[in-house]
Amino acid sequence: MTSHQPTTDKTGAQTSARDNASAQRYEITVDGTPEGVVAGFAEYRDRVDGADTERVFFHTEVADEFGGRGLATILVRQALDDARARGLVIVGVCPLVAAFLEKHPEYADAARPVSRDVLGWLRRQQS
């Protein structure tokens, strides 16, 4: 599991995001909550497409009690940074990830648009 540098949310609380590879999701935790409490996650599946491996992000969620603190943005940024550092191609099926990519053109070099092939593949993975 890859950990990322701690950062702070809008309340000033320390946060930490990591890739929980066995669950195929990035998770964010917040200091001051009980050990093991995950405040949010971004789920993905890895898809091989020719010579590339795509990290397809399809669902991001933050628990209601942690809403409004900017955790989703922190989580998505760190997940995308990790995927890019690993040489993976980012595909944002999740609306939150897609919106983040649109607002942050600095990720364009590592991102690929969602295609019908990806959506069909993802449906088969989830059934």
Side-chain angles (χ1 to χ4, degrees):
M1 290 185 246
T2 302
S3 292
H4 295 281
Q5 291 287 46
T7 189
T8 57
D9 69 8
K10 290 179 179 179
T11 71
Q14 200 81 33
T15 67
S16 182
R18 68 184 182 103
D19 178 10
N20 182 345
S22 64
Q24 295 182 298
R25 68 187 202 173
Y26 289 87
E27 299 173 342
I28 190 164
T29 56
V30 178
D31 279 1
T33 56
E35 183 73 28
V37 172
V38 174
F41 57 86
E43 294 179 299
Y44 64 83
R45 297 292 180 269
D46 288 340
R47 174 181 184 254
V48 176
D49 183 31
D52 295 324
T53 298
E54 298 173 329
R55 180 144 289 178
V56 181
F57 290 91
F58 65 92
H59 179 74
T60 302
E61 185 176 313
V62 171
D64 289 343
E65 61 266 30
F66 295 100
R69 296 170 62 164
L71 296 177
T73 300
I74 294 167
L75 174 61
V76 168
R77 180 181 304 279
Q78 291 188 359
L80 299 186
D81 286 349
D82 182 66
R84 181 165 55 182
R86 294 178 188 205
L88 302 171
V89 176
I90 298 163
V91 181
V93 173
C94 167
L96 194 138
V97 174
F100 185 93
L101 288 169
E102 193 171 305
K103 290 179 188 171
H104 296 276
E106 65 270 25
Y107 290 92
D109 65 320
R112 184 175 289 161
V114 178
S115 68
R116 288 183 187 195
D117 286 346
V118 167
L119 292 176
W121 172 86
L122 187 57
R123 273 192 293 276
R124 289 188 298 278
Q125 295 298 304
Q126 294 177 322
S127 55

